[in-house]
mmCIF file of all heavy atoms in Angstrom:
data_model
loop_
_atom_site.group_PDB
_atom_site.id
_atom_site.type_symbol
_atom_site.label_atom_id
_atom_site.label_comp_id
_atom_site.label_asym_id
_atom_site.label_seq_id
_atom_site.Cartn_x
_atom_site.Cartn_y
_atom_site.Cartn_z
ATOM 1 N N ALA J 111 40.672 -17.316 31.685
ATOM 2 C CA ALA J 111 41.826 -17.174 30.790
ATOM 3 C C ALA J 111 43.124 -17.497 31.520
ATOM 4 O O ALA J 111 44.022 -18.144 30.972
ATOM 5 C CB ALA J 111 41.884 -15.751 30.227
ATOM 6 N N ALA J 112 43.225 -17.047 32.772
ATOM 7 C CA ALA J 112 44.426 -17.341 33.559
ATOM 8 C C ALA J 112 44.576 -18.846 33.786
ATOM 9 O O ALA J 112 45.675 -19.393 33.685
ATOM 10 C CB ALA J 112 44.361 -16.596 34.884
ATOM 11 N N ALA J 113 43.453 -19.509 34.079
ATOM 12 C CA ALA J 113 43.503 -20.956 34.303
ATOM 13 C C ALA J 113 43.915 -21.687 33.029
ATOM 14 O O ALA J 113 44.722 -22.623 33.067
ATOM 15 C CB ALA J 113 42.140 -21.439 34.788
ATOM 16 N N ALA J 114 43.387 -21.249 31.892
ATOM 17 C CA ALA J 114 43.719 -21.900 30.621
ATOM 18 C C ALA J 114 45.181 -21.750 30.266
ATOM 19 O O ALA J 114 45.773 -22.622 29.618
ATOM 20 C CB ALA J 114 42.836 -21.326 29.501
ATOM 21 N N LEU J 115 45.794 -20.640 30.702
ATOM 22 C CA LEU J 115 47.199 -20.365 30.379
ATOM 23 C C LEU J 115 48.140 -20.672 31.544
ATOM 24 O O LEU J 115 49.331 -20.385 31.464
ATOM 25 C CB LEU J 115 47.349 -18.899 29.969
ATOM 26 C CG LEU J 115 46.563 -18.474 28.721
ATOM 27 C CD1 LEU J 115 46.616 -16.961 28.551
ATOM 28 C CD2 LEU J 115 47.123 -19.170 27.486
ATOM 29 N N SER J 116 47.573 -21.238 32.643
ATOM 30 C CA SER J 116 48.359 -21.580 33.839
ATOM 31 C C SER J 116 49.072 -20.356 34.403
ATOM 32 O O SER J 116 50.254 -20.418 34.770
ATOM 33 C CB SER J 116 49.371 -22.687 33.516
ATOM 34 O OG SER J 116 48.714 -23.852 33.068
ATOM 35 N N ILE J 117 48.344 -19.231 34.479
ATOM 36 C CA ILE J 117 48.870 -17.988 35.042
ATOM 37 C C ILE J 117 48.280 -17.794 36.425
ATOM 38 O O ILE J 117 47.060 -17.896 36.618
ATOM 39 C CB ILE J 117 48.508 -16.785 34.142
ATOM 40 C CG1 ILE J 117 49.193 -16.921 32.779
ATOM 41 C CG2 ILE J 117 48.904 -15.466 34.805
ATOM 42 C CD1 ILE J 117 48.782 -15.864 31.789
ATOM 43 N N ARG J 118 49.134 -17.508 37.390
ATOM 44 C CA ARG J 118 48.666 -17.267 38.749
ATOM 45 C C ARG J 118 48.271 -15.798 38.889
ATOM 46 O O ARG J 118 49.074 -14.903 38.637
ATOM 47 C CB ARG J 118 49.769 -17.617 39.755
ATOM 48 C CG ARG J 118 49.333 -17.460 41.211
ATOM 49 C CD ARG J 118 50.429 -17.920 42.155
ATOM 50 N NE ARG J 118 50.027 -17.780 43.542
ATOM 51 C CZ ARG J 118 50.796 -18.115 44.579
ATOM 52 N NH1 ARG J 118 52.024 -18.611 44.350
ATOM 53 N NH2 ARG J 118 50.352 -17.959 45.808
ATOM 54 N N LEU J 119 47.046 -15.557 39.306
ATOM 55 C CA LEU J 119 46.529 -14.195 39.405
ATOM 56 C C LEU J 119 46.715 -13.621 40.802
ATOM 57 O O LEU J 119 46.691 -14.358 41.794
ATOM 58 C CB LEU J 119 45.027 -14.176 39.073
ATOM 59 C CG LEU J 119 44.644 -14.405 37.617
ATOM 60 C CD1 LEU J 119 43.133 -14.540 37.499
ATOM 61 C CD2 LEU J 119 45.131 -13.245 36.763
ATOM 62 N N PRO J 120 46.875 -12.278 40.914
ATOM 63 C CA PRO J 120 46.892 -11.650 42.233
ATOM 64 C C PRO J 120 45.490 -11.648 42.826
ATOM 65 O O PRO J 120 44.502 -11.871 42.120
ATOM 66 C CB PRO J 120 47.370 -10.220 41.935
ATOM 67 C CG PRO J 120 46.938 -9.975 40.522
ATOM 68 C CD PRO J 120 47.069 -11.303 39.831
ATOM 69 N N LYS J 121 45.390 -11.363 44.121
ATOM 70 C CA LYS J 121 44.077 -11.350 44.772
ATOM 71 C C LYS J 121 43.187 -10.246 44.203
ATOM 72 O O LYS J 121 41.984 -10.417 44.067
ATOM 73 C CB LYS J 121 44.251 -11.172 46.282
ATOM 74 C CG LYS J 121 44.896 -12.364 46.968
ATOM 75 C CD LYS J 121 44.998 -12.156 48.474
ATOM 76 C CE LYS J 121 45.633 -13.360 49.148
ATOM 77 N NZ LYS J 121 45.752 -13.164 50.623
ATOM 78 N N ASN J 122 43.780 -9.112 43.895
ATOM 79 C CA ASN J 122 43.011 -8.004 43.325
ATOM 80 C C ASN J 122 43.062 -8.098 41.802
ATOM 81 O O ASN J 122 44.017 -7.658 41.170
ATOM 82 C CB ASN J 122 43.571 -6.661 43.804
ATOM 83 C CG ASN J 122 42.719 -5.486 43.347
ATOM 84 O OD1 ASN J 122 41.759 -5.647 42.582
ATOM 85 N ND2 ASN J 122 43.064 -4.297 43.797
ATOM 86 N N LEU J 123 42.022 -8.637 41.208
ATOM 87 C CA LEU J 123 42.018 -8.827 39.761
ATOM 88 C C LEU J 123 41.979 -7.506 39.006
ATOM 89 O O LEU J 123 42.390 -7.441 37.846
ATOM 90 C CB LEU J 123 40.821 -9.696 39.348
ATOM 91 C CG LEU J 123 40.853 -11.160 39.789
ATOM 92 C CD1 LEU J 123 39.641 -11.892 39.249
ATOM 93 C CD2 LEU J 123 42.125 -11.840 39.322
ATOM 94 N N GLY J 124 41.492 -6.452 39.660
ATOM 95 C CA GLY J 124 41.473 -5.150 39.002
ATOM 96 C C GLY J 124 42.862 -4.687 38.624
ATOM 97 O O GLY J 124 43.039 -3.974 37.624
ATOM 98 N N ASP J 125 43.868 -5.101 39.396
ATOM 99 C CA ASP J 125 45.249 -4.716 39.102
ATOM 100 C C ASP J 125 45.747 -5.326 37.798
ATOM 101 O O ASP J 125 46.671 -4.802 37.169
ATOM 102 C CB ASP J 125 46.177 -5.146 40.243
ATOM 103 C CG ASP J 125 45.926 -4.338 41.517
ATOM 104 O OD1 ASP J 125 45.298 -3.265 41.421
ATOM 105 O OD2 ASP J 125 46.344 -4.790 42.591
ATOM 106 N N VAL J 126 45.128 -6.445 37.410
ATOM 107 C CA VAL J 126 45.563 -7.118 36.186
ATOM 108 C C VAL J 126 45.350 -6.198 34.977
ATOM 109 O O VAL J 126 46.180 -6.129 34.062
ATOM 110 C CB VAL J 126 44.781 -8.438 35.993
ATOM 111 C CG1 VAL J 126 45.144 -9.082 34.656
ATOM 112 C CG2 VAL J 126 45.076 -9.392 37.150
ATOM 113 N N LEU J 127 44.237 -5.488 34.967
ATOM 114 C CA LEU J 127 43.895 -4.653 33.826
ATOM 115 C C LEU J 127 44.365 -3.212 33.964
ATOM 116 O O LEU J 127 44.375 -2.476 32.977
ATOM 117 C CB LEU J 127 42.365 -4.653 33.632
ATOM 118 C CG LEU J 127 41.734 -6.002 33.332
ATOM 119 C CD1 LEU J 127 40.226 -5.866 33.228
ATOM 120 C CD2 LEU J 127 42.291 -6.597 32.059
#
Side-chain angles (χ1 to χ4, degrees):
L115 298 171
S116 300
I117 296 174
R118 183 176 180 180
L119 289 173
K121 292 182 179 179
N122 186 354
L123 292 183
D125 291 342
V126 175
L127 298 177

